[in-house]
Amino acid sequence: SGASLSFTSITVHNAILVFDAGSIVTASNVLSSSGAATLSIATMNAAGFTVVSGTGTILGSMLNLTAQGAVVIAGTTLVPSVSSVAFAPGQGLTVNRDGTVLMSTTSRINILGNVNLQPGALLTHSANSTARSFIVDISATGNFDVQAGSTIGVDGLGYAGGSTGYGPGGGQSVGTGGGGGHGGYGGYGSDGTSLGGAVNDSLIYPLDLGSGGGAGAGATGGSGGGAVILTVQGALALNGLISGNGVVGTGGGQGAGGGAGGTINLTAGTL
């Protein structure tokens, strides 16, 4: 705990390696995790920071990452999951094919430089339930390139459905379920008795998740869409997919209301 450690590289394979809170870990080039492996870091300082191909997880339970070189995520999951994150690589962030960045925080991630999502890359956040606990909120000082075949996807990751859907626009349930509301009212239930959820959030600058739908006969209401907020000082090139749809109800019954769409909030120097 509280240790300062310096390595040329760190590799974890089929194991769990945890650095306690307060530790400072320095690696000159490579940090990798593969197999059934988890690497948990408190503070990471790296001249060049590369996560190599694998199926492991880099878990930043108290992530404070500063790198002078580029940060590359390749075939691995990077999970920032704290209330305050300083994520400032000098040459930006690249997520390669099959790389995933899974946000588990509502804090804004500040990136100095460009962001590149290459074909097959995924940027997403964890699933919410009854409260707004997880979003994608990234600010980049350079350009943000969402390449063809890459995805920023938060479908069904907003407020959960229930007997009455969760969230400020949750759909009601009276026999059948009403749809969740967000930028507009949710639809009535199929029998016309269950009200859809109320309008909520800002039409000009939305920040919230989509609300969940109400339950039907033996079916749970669908979850709303999640939230993606991007602030890009340079150019935002969108050739891939950004999606925050609500989803249909689940279960063996019928009549459940669908979840409302979430937030896709884009601010850029040029689009």
Side-chain angles (χ1 to χ4, degrees):
S1 177
S4 295
L5 305 171
S6 180
F7 303 91
T8 300
S9 64
I10 303 171
T11 301
V12 181
H13 179 71
N14 291 331
I16 298 175
L17 177 62
V18 177
F19 294 99
D20 291 338
S23 298
I24 299 176
V25 181
T26 302
S28 59
N29 45 42
V30 175
L31 171 65
S32 65
S33 177
S34 63
T38 298
L39 178 57
S40 183
I41 311 165
T43 298
M44 183 72 205
N45 297 300
F49 181 82
T50 302
V51 180
V52 299
S53 296
T55 57
T57 299
I58 307 300
L59 176 64
S61 56
M62 296 188 66
L63 183 62
N64 185 339
L65 171 63
T66 302
Q68 301 305 313
V71 175
V72 180
I73 310 300
T76 302
T77 302
L78 175 68
V79 188
S81 56
V82 295
S83 58
S84 179
V85 180
F87 189 87
Q91 298 178 31
L93 170 67
T94 297
V95 185
N96 284 354
R97 181 181 299 276
D98 300 325
T100 298
V101 177
L102 174 67
M103 305 304 303
S104 294
T105 178
T106 55
S107 295
R108 171 165 290 183
I109 305 300
N110 297 299
I111 297 178
L112 303 181
N114 300 322
V115 179
N116 295 288
L117 303 185
Q118 297 187 351
L122 173 63
L123 172 60
T124 186
H125 62 69
S126 298
N128 291 273
S129 179
T130 61
R132 182 181 181 271
S133 301
F134 312 114
I135 62 172
V136 171
D137 187 354
I138 293 179
S139 174
T141 61
N143 301 321
F144 200 120
D145 188 8
V146 184
Q147 297 181 17
S150 68
T151 301
I152 303 176
V154 294
D155 291 355
L157 299 180
Y159 293 112
S163 54
T164 296
Y166 292 102
Q172 297 183 7
S173 177
V174 182
T176 60
H182 192 187
Y185 289 102
Y188 278 88
S190 59
D191 62 3
T193 59
S194 294
L195 296 176
V199 175
N200 60 92
D201 209 359
S202 168
L203 288 175
I204 299 173
Y205 197 83
L207 298 172
D208 209 354
L209 311 166
S211 292
T220 301
S223 296
V228 175
I229 303 166
L230 303 181
T231 305
V232 181
Q233 292 185 22
L236 172 58
L238 179 54
N239 294 298
L241 174 67
I242 303 180
S243 181
N245 294 320
V247 297
V248 300
T250 60
Q254 58 184 353
T263 284
I264 297 176
N265 183 332
L266 309 178
T267 302
T270 58
L271 177 61

